[in-house]
């Protein structure tokens, strides 16, 4: 079974703190994604990566950065946490296929609260 | 215009009825389409994928794709209370690498 593991299930951070969310997958997938999920807005793509050291902005990259130094690990960084970044964060991975016909496998999610 | 649009619901159906969930997408070159189910407090899980025009059946689930109309649907036959969840439509889009774009989801309630 594919396993995508996020480092924390719940986090509480203070405004202005630098926050690291870690995600590890064990299936040698090329693609990795960070989404945030808010009520009524669904999953919105923050950043994705299709290779080591590669990153692409998603729909809402502002206030976030990412790092992918190893294939299995994709980190999301909140440079200076703000209250509007309180959300559920979901990491996902998928294998590369030329056709793009692949499903995404999700981690268990990190509920981040910024106070 | 959002890339993937769904009615947010909630959609309420009685047990045993057919639930019909709809989705439209804006990127004409999209080739891969998915339905994920998400229970409250849980992560999304894939229930159906479809790549060609027409219908694809898997048990009580049928996905329908019409690329000309840019429309994807999911039918759930003989709906059960355990089907109550949020259903997310997703589309793979290529921009240097494939990214998966999700709709906001439709909440389904199946009444016993």
């Amino acid at each position: 079974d594919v396993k995508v593991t996020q480092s924390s299930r719940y986090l509480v951070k203070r405004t202005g703190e630098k926050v690291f969310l870690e995600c590890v997958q064990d299936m040698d997938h090329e693609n990795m994604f960070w989404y945030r999920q808010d009520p009524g807005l669904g999953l919105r793509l923050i950043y994705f990566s299709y290779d080591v050291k590669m990153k692409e902005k998603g729909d809402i990259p502002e206030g976030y950065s990412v790092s992918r130094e190893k294939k299995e690990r994709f980190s999301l960084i909140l440079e200076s946490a703000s209250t509007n970044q309180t959300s559920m964060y979901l990491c996902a991975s998928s294998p590369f296929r030329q056709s793009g016909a692949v499903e995404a496998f999700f981690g268990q999610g990190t509920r981040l609260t910024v106070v | 215009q959002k890339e993937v649009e769904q009615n947010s619901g909630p959609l309420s159906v009685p047990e045993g009825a057919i639930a019909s969930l709809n989705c439209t997408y804006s990127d004409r070159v999209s080739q891969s389409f998915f339905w994920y189910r998400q229970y409250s407090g849980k992560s999304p899980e894939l229930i159906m994928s479809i790549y060609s025009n027409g219908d694809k059946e898997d048990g009580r689930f049928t996905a329908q794709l019409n690329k000309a109309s840019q429309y994807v649907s999911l039918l759930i036959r003989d709906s059960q209370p355990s089907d109550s969840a949020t259903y997310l439509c997703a589309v793979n889009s290529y921009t240097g690498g494939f990214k998966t774009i999700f709709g906001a989801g439709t909440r389904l309630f199946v009444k016993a």
Side-chain angles (χ1 to χ4, degrees), chain A residues 9 31 33 35 37 40-43 45 48 50 56-57 59 90 96-109, chain B residues 2-3 8 31-32 34 36 38 41-46 51 86 88 92 94-105:
Chain A
R9 191 69 196 271
N31 303 321
F33 309 84
Y35 296 89
Q37 187 172 32
L41 298 176
L43 274 78
L45 183 63
F48 68 107
Y50 53 88
E56 294 285 340
K57 293 180 179 179
D59 299 319
L90 287 160
F96 172 79
R97 296 286 184 273
Q98 191 67 36
S99 64
V102 292
E103 68 172 287
F105 295 87
F106 284 86
Q108 77 277 27
Chain B
K2 291 182 181 178
E3 291 186 65
S8 61
Q31 295 294 319
S32 307
F34 308 87
Y36 288 77
Q38 186 176 24
K42 302 292 186 181
S43 297
E45 57 179 345
L46 183 75
Y51 312 118
T86 296
L88 300 165
N92 275 4
Y94 184 81
T95 53
F98 281 103
K99 63 178 182 178
T100 304
I101 301 297
F102 287 83

Side-chain angles (χ1 to χ4, degrees), chain B residues 4-102:
Chain B
V4 181
E5 297 213 47
Q6 299 179 249
N7 288 327
S8 61
L11 173 65
S12 182
V13 301
E15 185 175 0
I18 295 175
S20 178
L21 306 165
N22 303 313
C23 172
T24 58
Y25 61 94
S26 61
D27 186 354
R28 285 198 165 272
V29 301
S30 296
Q31 295 294 319
S32 307
F33 308 89
F34 308 87
W35 284 99
Y36 288 77
R37 178 177 61 201
Q38 186 176 24
Y39 291 114
S40 181
K42 302 292 186 181
S43 297
E45 57 179 345
L46 183 75
I47 53 172
M48 288 287 287
S49 59
I50 186 166
Y51 312 118
S52 304
N53 278 330
D55 294 0
K56 179 182 177 182
E57 187 175 318
D58 183 0
R60 295 186 295 112
F61 299 96
T62 299
Q64 299 173 318
L65 173 61
N66 183 326
K67 291 186 180 180
S69 300
Q70 296 176 240
Y71 176 88
V72 191
S73 67
L74 179 70
L75 300 177
I76 305 174
R77 290 183 300 282
D78 189 24
S79 295
Q80 302 297 308
S82 59
D83 294 326
S84 297
T86 296
Y87 289 81
L88 300 165
C89 174
V91 174
N92 275 4
S93 173
Y94 184 81
T95 53
F98 281 103
K99 63 178 182 178
T100 304
I101 301 297
F102 287 83

